[in-house]
Amino acid sequence: MAGTNANGKGGLTVNAPTSGTGSPTPTNYRSFQDDNHTRDGDPGNAHTDSSGGHRSLVARRGGPPRTSPHAHVADDSHRGFSTSIHDAYSATEHERVDCCSFTCCGVLQSDRDRYLLQGVTPPGVGHRVVVHVLLPLTILGAAGYGAMHIANVRINQMYCTVLVFTMLFYVLALCYKGRSKRIEVRKDLLWTKYQISESSQNTDLAVLWEQERPEDEEEARDLSTYYLGQSRRDFSSAHPCCLVGCYPEDRNLNREVASSLEHNLCGALWDFFCFPICGMHVQLCGMCALAQEAREVEQVLLPPSYRRIDYITMQAYADYYPAIYLDKWAEAPLRRSWFRIPPLSRLSIRLLQAALIVAALLLVWALVANLYWHKIYRTNNKSHVFNLADYGIFIATVMQSGGLLMILVFFTNLPKKSELSLDALVKYFASGFVLSVTLAVFWEMVIGLALKTFVAFILIVAGVDVVDDPGSNGTYTFGIGFGPSLLSNTSRHLAAETDPRNFLDVFGNEHPVFYTIMLMLEAFLMAAFVEELCKYFGYRMVEHPDFLTKDDLDQAVSVAHDEPSEEVEDGHPRQHRECQDYSFQRKSLQAQGAAITLAMIAVAIGFTCCENLVYIFVYSGESVKAELTVLIARSCFPVHPISAALQSLGVVRRDLEADRSRALGRIILPAVLLHGGYDFFIMWIDFLSRRHGVDADENPTALLVSLIVSVSAMLVALTWYFRESKLQRERLAAIDQISNVDRSRLL
């Protein structure tokens, strides 16, 4: 509830951890709320003190207890931070914030850190779509329209040049504004650490939060002291304005020490590339710096109970989970209504609303597409246009994913109810559909470009020369000449009639072993490894209250209860959340294991749904028949959900059975082998069929072999999963039995 702090100013009073005497220590935390952003855009929801400054409902409500602040402040040996800027993915407990920092250019994590440290609620999705998408597209569209319709050449050039530069400056202004906000968050974080480290042991933290951060003129005098060694160059390098920057090494290392350290992937890349050249860390969109700041918030500033909020909406778990918990554990008569809508969080509601809006827009486009192309755009394009039949395929694809998820929920709950709520399924599905796909597309592009560059380099070294020569009958004939190279002085020539861009296929026909190795790299590295890793990260990026313990929920509710009361959507006041009993939460390890499996499968099905839409409408959108064929074929072989189930075995063993030998590589290895082997054999069979001059789709033998390989892979994977899953359930049941005996002895 609202209270007064030590200075007599109104603010938030929260119950901090108990002191050495066992009594709770009341602590008031001050927050700096942006003048332009309040909770949900409503100035009435912002709390102000007597001086008129805004106060957040959640920000700065956590931190070390008043009696021992120094015990919670880790070392700042990395120029103000307790972890290095390249320590991403080095600790399992920080995987969530590391993943969110590297997704969507770090927007998700930046919004959350800014909300926790400054109390600024991020703008809505609609606002961002208008500012970052619609306005630039409008400017580009106006430039394109003028380029096509303005007859005067000079005016046309001037008009288009002005609009192009306007869009360029607009984008640069948006980047600079976002960069400035991120730098302010980094400064606030370091200033808070400095205040805690300089305060005495008995200093009330409410006094520390009242201390304003130094202004620019004061920064110039003692910036390195206030920010624990961070200079202006460090701030600008951590969050560069041009999206790419070089952050100076934040540890005192020589070459011998650096080579002897145990690195993660980022550290290994830095040691191999950056350290010998310049000793700096390459920063892209400040993502590594965001991960470093997020780890600092979790490790030093805010305890877990103060970070129990959703991304995007910043809704506290205590606001919505009591209703979900009651719905899960209500008596049977209360759960028999067929038309009852289960309780959902604000984030899940917005996700479902976004899906309905997209479906409605596609329906409108299916109705007016033909009119647009033939009447307004005035084109006689004979290519396939999205229509109502295609819209039906779209709905069928989405329903297939949802139906598959519901079937898996039913069978997963047979041995032991998973206790995973609908709210969690919606969030995990959306994470796979949006976040995992975004990560996979980016890294597949990067690895694919690197792979093609490597192959091109090999061909150049081997003396491959692509000769383009217009052929007869409209074909394009070109040859691959093997002239004097760095490796040999011999020369050969291979001629083929095909698209010049497919020279690798022509080269593969002549060198099948080389092409087979390239297919293995594409299948196991670019497809299987990247996609399975991104699906795992999609699972790790979501933290849901279903997986929290009773003590975690009690602490989160006790923190949120001290916020000023608000009203729920129906106008009735929120119930007292501290009275909720969470005694049924996470009582069975078997149920937790089933919940983990379902969550990872939900991410995989979301990923599959998006991938199916791409394959159906982008790669096979020439006819409704082709789209339906692809949908049926991909529905018969659910590689992604089965791979996610294989991953869940390792995650359950690591998190529930406390087997720390199950590192990330061992967790995703079975899924990579299944996924990569499946993709490789399908592509290899297609390559062998084309090498003999017959397309695989028209070769009955190739189709039969592909079917046998696909079915065999699915059967082997499912057999192995069910065997391992049964053994794992038995181990978890034994642990549950031991826990129940210990609990009964305590009672």
Side-chain angles (χ1 to χ4, degrees):
M1 63 181 62
T4 58
N5 55 28
N7 297 331
K9 297 183 179 181
L12 299 180
T13 304
V14 299
N15 292 327
T18 58
S19 61
T21 60
S23 59
T25 304
T27 310
N28 299 324
Y29 296 102
R30 182 180 181 277
S31 64
F32 302 97
Q33 179 79 10
D34 193 292
D35 291 340
N36 298 325
H37 296 87
T38 55
R39 187 177 179 88
D40 293 335
D42 182 9
N45 287 329
H47 294 259
T48 59
D49 58 13
S50 58
S51 61
H54 290 283
R55 294 183 181 278
S56 168
L57 296 176
V58 179
R60 296 193 186 275
R61 63 185 182 182
R66 174 171 59 90
T67 56
S68 181
H70 300 285
H72 293 261
V73 180
D75 67 281
D76 54 0
S77 57
H78 303 87
R79 286 206 301 278
F81 292 90
S82 56
T83 60
S84 174
I85 200 169
H86 71 221
D87 281 345
Y89 304 112
S90 60
T92 305
E93 60 270 18
H94 299 311
E95 276 184 353
R96 182 196 185 198
V97 295
D98 289 338
C99 293
C100 292
S101 299
F102 285 85
T103 304
C104 301
C105 297
V107 174
L108 296 177
Q109 193 60 48
S110 176
D111 288 344
R112 186 171 182 266
D113 291 346
R114 192 170 180 230
Y115 181 73
L116 291 174
L117 293 172
Q118 298 179 339
V120 179
T121 303
V125 177
H127 176 271
R128 280 185 163 158
V129 169
V130 172
V131 173
H132 299 280
V133 179
L134 294 184
L135 285 180
L137 289 180
T138 301
I139 298 175
L140 275 181
Y145 181 85
M148 296 176 61
H149 292 84
I150 298 179
N152 190 294
V153 177
R154 183 179 295 274
I155 297 178
N156 192 320
Q157 292 178 348
M158 293 177 59
Y159 175 82
C160 294
T161 302
V162 169
L163 287 182
V164 169
F165 275 97
T166 299
M167 191 198 69
L168 178 62
F169 286 123
Y170 179 77
V171 172
L172 290 177
L174 290 178
C175 293
Y176 182 81
K177 181 180 179 182
R179 168 190 181 254
S180 301
K181 293 178 180 178
R182 293 186 179 187
I183 289 179
E184 291 300 312
V185 171
R186 192 175 181 89
K187 289 182 177 180
D188 277 348
L189 190 153
L190 293 171
W191 169 248
T192 302
K193 285 192 63 177
Y194 168 77
Q195 288 289 97
I196 295 175
S197 63
E198 292 297 317
S199 63
S200 62
Q201 187 173 6
N202 295 324
T203 302
D204 193 340
L205 285 183
V207 178
L208 299 182
W209 300 127
E210 293 294 335
Q211 300 297 322
E212 294 286 352
R213 188 162 55 80
E215 301 295 337
D216 292 339
E217 58 271 12
E218 298 178 11
E219 294 177 8
R221 294 198 304 267
D222 207 3
L223 183 143
S224 60
T225 301
Y226 292 147
Y227 300 136
L228 304 178
Q230 289 273 307
S231 63
R232 291 186 177 182
R233 179 190 178 189
D234 293 332
F235 289 121
S236 59
S237 301
H239 298 290
C241 183
C242 56
L243 303 183
V244 179
C246 293
Y247 185 83
E249 166 58 26
D250 52 6
R251 295 179 301 177
N252 296 323
L253 298 178
N254 52 36
R255 180 67 181 178
E256 290 74 15
V257 175
S259 60
S260 64
L261 289 177
E262 185 176 340
H263 286 308
N264 53 14
L265 178 59
C266 297
L269 292 176
W270 169 83
D271 188 37
F272 185 78
F273 292 105
C274 300
F275 188 87
I277 299 175
C278 60
M280 295 187 178
H281 304 278
V282 177
Q283 291 293 296
L284 179 62
C285 298
M287 292 185 291
C288 293
L290 285 172
Q292 183 187 38
E293 295 158 12
R295 292 192 300 269
E296 203 71 11
V297 171
E298 288 196 343
Q299 189 167 323
V300 177
L301 294 184
L302 297 179
S305 56
Y306 296 84
R307 305 192 307 265
R308 305 299 188 191
I309 59 174
D310 282 336
Y311 281 82
I312 301 177
T313 60
M314 306 303 163
Q315 184 183 17
Y317 296 169
D319 287 345
Y320 66 86
Y321 191 67
I324 295 176
Y325 179 84
L326 288 176
D327 181 73
K328 287 198 304 181
W329 298 105
E331 297 295 333
L334 300 177
R335 300 173 59 101
R336 289 176 180 171
S337 175
W338 289 94
F339 302 99
R340 181 186 56 83
I341 300 178
L344 297 173
S345 65
R346 193 181 305 154
L347 176 58
S348 294
I349 293 174
R350 291 187 181 180
L351 290 172
L352 294 176
Q353 289 174 344
L356 292 177
I357 292 174
V358 171
L361 292 177
L362 285 177
L363 177 60
V364 173
W365 177 248
L367 294 173
V368 303
N370 283 306
L371 177 64
Y372 173 79
W373 286 110
H374 299 298
K375 300 297 182 181
I376 300 177
Y377 199 70
R378 297 179 181 179
T379 179
N380 294 322
N381 188 8
K382 300 299 183 181
S383 61
H384 182 68
V385 180
F386 190 84
N387 52 36
L388 288 177
D390 298 287
Y391 184 77
I393 298 294
F394 167 78
I395 296 298
T397 304
V398 178
M399 296 299 294
Q400 179 266 343
S401 299
L404 178 61
L405 181 58
M406 292 299 103
I407 293 174
L408 293 175
V409 168
F410 174 77
F411 283 104
T412 305
N413 286 336
L414 286 180
K416 188 72 175 180
K417 182 176 174 57
S418 69
E419 304 178 6
L420 197 67
S421 61
L422 178 63
D423 183 76
L425 290 175
V426 171
K427 292 177 180 177
Y428 282 109
F429 182 92
S431 177
F433 191 93
V434 179
L435 302 182
S436 295
V437 169
T438 303
L439 279 175
V441 169
F442 173 77
W443 286 111
E444 284 181 351
M445 290 176 57
V446 171
I447 296 177
L449 179 61
L451 182 60
K452 291 181 179 179
T453 303
F454 174 74
V455 172
F457 176 76
I458 295 297
L459 296 181
I460 292 174
V461 173
V464 175
D465 183 24
V466 180
V467 181
D468 299 336
D469 183 23
S472 59
N473 298 327
T475 61
Y476 205 77
T477 306
F478 76 102
I480 298 182
F482 296 83
S485 67
L486 298 178
L487 304 179
S488 174
N489 290 327
T490 60
S491 63
R492 292 163 49 198
H493 182 76
L494 173 67
E497 294 184 0
T498 183
D499 191 330
R501 293 171 296 181
N502 298 329
F503 68 93
L504 288 179
D505 294 338
V506 180
F507 183 71
N509 289 331
E510 182 71 11
H511 297 80
V513 175
F514 172 83
Y515 198 77
T516 300
I517 295 175
M518 192 180 68
L519 288 180
M520 291 183 65
L521 291 176
E522 288 184 1
F524 285 94
L525 178 62
M526 193 171 70
F529 176 76
V530 171
E531 292 180 4
E532 296 306 321
L533 191 63
C534 290
K535 287 189 297 183
Y536 171 81
F537 287 158
Y539 161 74
R540 291 292 292 170
M541 277 188 281
V542 180
E543 180 190 67
H544 196 270
D546 284 340
F547 292 100
L548 299 181
T549 64
K550 177 182 181 298
D551 292 338
D552 293 335
L553 291 174
D554 289 337
Q555 292 173 7
V557 170
S558 66
V559 170
H561 175 64
D562 291 317
E563 298 176 8
S565 61
E566 302 172 13
E567 291 186 351
V568 294
E569 287 76 3
D570 58 1
H572 297 288
R574 184 183 291 112
Q575 297 177 352
H576 292 288
R577 291 166 293 194
E578 77 282 4
C579 298
Q580 179 66 58
D581 181 18
Y582 297 101
S583 57
F584 290 98
Q585 186 77 4
R586 288 189 61 175
K587 293 188 65 175
S588 168
L589 289 182
Q590 298 178 75
Q592 296 175 47
I596 291 176
T597 301
L598 269 183
M600 300 192 73
I601 290 177
V603 173
I605 291 180
F607 187 96
T608 303
C609 183
C610 185
E611 188 180 62
N612 288 346
L613 293 174
V614 173
Y615 273 92
I616 291 172
F617 295 105
V618 177
Y619 297 150
S620 306
E622 62 273 6
S623 66
V624 175
K625 181 180 178 180
E627 295 170 356
L628 186 60
T629 302
V630 173
L631 174 60
I632 295 175
R634 294 186 63 84
S635 300
C636 293
F637 304 103
V639 179
H640 287 297
I642 296 177
S643 300
L646 297 180
Q647 286 192 40
S648 69
L649 295 174
V651 174
V652 171
R653 188 157 187 173
R654 181 195 64 188
D655 295 345
L656 300 185
E657 299 184 57
D659 185 358
R660 297 307 174 189
S661 65
R662 295 287 169 172
L664 178 57
R666 294 187 63 183
I667 289 175
I668 69 172
L669 179 60
V672 171
L673 292 178
L674 168 65
H675 191 173
Y678 177 86
D679 287 353
F680 168 72
F681 280 107
I682 295 299
M683 293 189 297
W684 192 53
I685 293 171
D686 179 71
F687 162 68
L688 294 179
S689 180
R690 287 186 291 105
R691 190 165 183 263
H692 289 84
V694 182
D695 192 7
D697 295 336
E698 302 175 357
N699 188 345
T701 303
L703 291 176
L704 179 61
V705 174
S706 299
L707 179 62
I708 294 175
V709 170
S710 302
V711 174
S712 301
M714 298 298 103
L715 290 177
V716 170
L718 288 174
T719 302
W720 187 81
Y721 168 75
F722 284 124
R723 182 177 68 86
E724 294 296 322
S725 178
K726 181 181 178 181
L727 296 175
Q728 190 170 75
R729 288 198 304 271
E730 293 175 354
R731 294 194 300 268
L732 295 177
I735 299 175
D736 282 337
Q737 186 176 4
I738 296 174
S739 300
N740 292 334
V741 171
D742 294 339
R743 190 180 298 111
S744 62
R745 288 177 179 175
L746 291 176
L747 294 177

